[in-house]
Amino acid sequence: MSLSLNPETTARTSRADTVATTARQVGVIGGGQLAQMMAAAAPGLGLTLMAQTPSAEDPAASHAHGLVLGPLAAPDSVRELARQCEVITCENELVDLQTMAELADEGVLFRPGLAALKALVDKRRQRELLDSLDVASPAWIGLKEALRKPARLAALGFPLMAKRCRGGYDGRGTEYIPNRVALEALAMGVDPGEWYLEALVPFERELAVVAARSSRGEVRCYPLMETHQHQRVCHWVQCPAPVPHPVEARARTIIASLLESLDYVGVLAMELFLAPQGLLVNEMAPRTHNSGHLTIEAAGTSQFAQHLRAVSGLPLGPVQLTAPGALMVNLLGFESHCGDYRPLREAIADLPGAHLHWYGKAEARPGRKMGHVTFLFSGASTESRQRELRQRLAALEQIWPRPGGGP
């Protein structure tokens, strides 16, 4: 598999569905912070955004043009969303593909398309797709198959990571499996058909790449990012990633190939491991992604505006960084609490160069993403940017503790 990609854009003839004019009314299934930031970007593009979400207290309510209240992807709710919008997209993978397929048969336009979503909302299907395209990922096996075929499991070895095929995020739906006893305990408490196992990768860095593809086949890829996890939840992201150029070039080639092979329309995010054997694809997200939040301040077009451009039929925007680099830090809940943290938020906002985004969630709990803050780097060299990163993290952690403490 190979595909050359200009760092800025690649134009191709698309097989994707098209609309004669720009879709000005966009619907999003989901009402969390991703939908919130998408809704904030819509007016600047001349678009309106409706969010279908369970509660009028969800983050998207603060910026959406309107709400359709109801369970995610419930037929009646999505049908009402479709009645008010010209195109529908998603902010998460917790969707009912069967319901969406029935609506698509009636002419409702979904972007990304349902064939792409089917391949990506299930993580085991992601692995099967990567295998079919000969894209390297951590060695894996279905849990049910592992229980039936001890030889296959022995070839994988321990320790392992167990992952739920659907619904897992922010550390949920993953389990560390150090030995056979732990594996058997997991198998006793879950449906083995809904989990898979993967080899534990001794990676050097965790990376992410975010790209978009339009309905006309235009592709634009943001610079490669490095992510850092705390207790299996993303803590901070820096861009550009401090890696050699061939690593970034390979990541761009992989994501461009996936966008093309899936006839994908919208923003796609891909998480990778930089391991001794090279780049390994960990997971993909068919939507805007936590790793791309820094593009709001640090890129010519934010990932949220880019996704709206793609799904509505507008041309894609520029993706170059507007500063030498950037750091985004998630403000993760460090306690169970129902306050608004105003004093802490004001202290963070007062940090030099801080761009604070607060999601307005009613309740905090350990590890929950309550907001994020972005800092732009001024240093031109990798070494100077790494110094800035350490200084920014140290200053922030004097105000906002990490959940559970530790490095």
Side-chain angles (χ1 to χ4, degrees), residues 155-167:
L156 215 56
F158 290 100
L160 297 165
M161 290 300 298
K163 294 186 176 182
R164 187 190 296 273
C165 296
R166 293 201 62 178

Side-chain angles (χ1 to χ4, degrees), residues 109-127:
L109 177 60
F110 292 96
R111 286 176 171 167
L114 299 190
L117 288 177
K118 183 177 180 180
L120 295 172
V121 299
D122 183 296
K123 293 176 184 175
R124 176 169 179 151
R125 285 186 179 148
Q126 288 187 17
R127 292 303 172 86

Side-chain angles (χ1 to χ4, degrees), residues 102-377:
E102 293 169 3
L103 292 170
D105 288 342
E106 299 173 16
V108 176
L109 177 60
F110 292 96
R111 286 176 171 167
L114 299 190
L117 288 177
K118 183 177 180 180
L120 295 172
V121 299
D122 183 296
K123 293 176 184 175
R124 176 169 179 151
R125 285 186 179 148
Q126 288 187 17
R127 292 303 172 86
E128 292 169 346
L129 171 66
L130 293 170
D131 289 348
S132 72
L133 295 174
D134 198 28
V135 175
S137 65
W140 69 280
I141 184 174
L143 177 55
K144 183 183 289 187
E145 184 180 6
L147 296 172
R148 291 200 315 259
K149 299 180 178 179
R152 289 283 310 278
L153 178 61
L156 215 56
F158 290 100
L160 297 165
M161 290 300 298
K163 294 186 176 182
R164 187 190 296 273
C165 296
R166 293 201 62 178
Y169 64 99
D170 284 352
R172 292 183 283 276
T174 62
E175 298 287 343
Y176 174 71
I177 307 296
N179 51 44
R180 180 78 194 200
V181 173
L183 179 62
E184 291 173 352
L186 173 71
M188 290 287 289
V190 303
D191 178 351
E194 296 178 355
W195 288 71
Y196 68 97
L197 307 172
E198 70 176 27
L200 202 65
V201 176
F203 58 84
E204 301 168 15
R205 295 184 187 274
E206 291 184 88
L207 305 172
V209 60
V210 176
R213 183 174 180 270
S214 73
S215 61
R216 298 174 179 85
E218 177 188 20
V219 173
R220 295 197 178 187
C221 184
Y222 291 95
L224 189 65
M225 304 165 197
E226 179 183 18
T227 68
H228 181 83
Q229 318 303 311
H230 178 71
Q231 298 177 349
R232 300 182 196 167
V233 182
C234 180
H235 181 212
W236 55 258
V237 178
Q238 71 164 321
C239 184
V243 297
H245 176 72
V247 173
E248 177 162 8
R250 177 58 181 160
R252 287 172 176 267
T253 297
I254 292 170
I255 198 167
S257 298
L258 287 164
L259 288 166
E260 181 70 13
S261 67
L262 292 167
D263 197 21
Y264 190 94
V265 178
V267 162
L268 176 69
M270 185 170 65
E271 300 174 0
L272 308 105
F273 296 128
L274 179 56
Q277 61 268 49
L279 274 180
L280 303 176
V281 177
N282 178 26
E283 294 178 3
M284 293 172 283
R287 52 173 170 79
T288 55
H289 191 255
N290 191 211
S291 63
H293 288 356
L294 55 76
T295 62
I296 297 174
E297 284 81 26
T301 309
S302 78
Q303 65 164 343
F304 302 101
Q306 197 77 294
H307 186 70
L308 289 173
R309 283 178 169 275
V311 303
S312 68
L314 290 168
L316 298 184
V319 291
Q320 301 99 326
L321 294 183
T322 55
L327 166 69
M328 186 284 297
V329 186
N330 282 317
L331 301 175
L332 303 175
F334 53 87
E335 61 182 353
S336 295
H337 184 64
C338 292
D340 65 1
Y341 291 103
R342 182 169 296 277
L344 299 187
R345 289 160 50 196
E346 290 176 349
I348 292 170
D350 285 340
L351 290 172
H355 299 270
L356 175 64
H357 297 260
W358 188 252
Y359 305 148
K361 296 179 179 179
E363 180 182 357
R365 55 178 178 266
R368 191 180 197 196
K369 293 170 181 171
M370 302 304 296
H372 76 266
V373 59
T374 298
F375 301 93
L376 301 182
F377 291 148

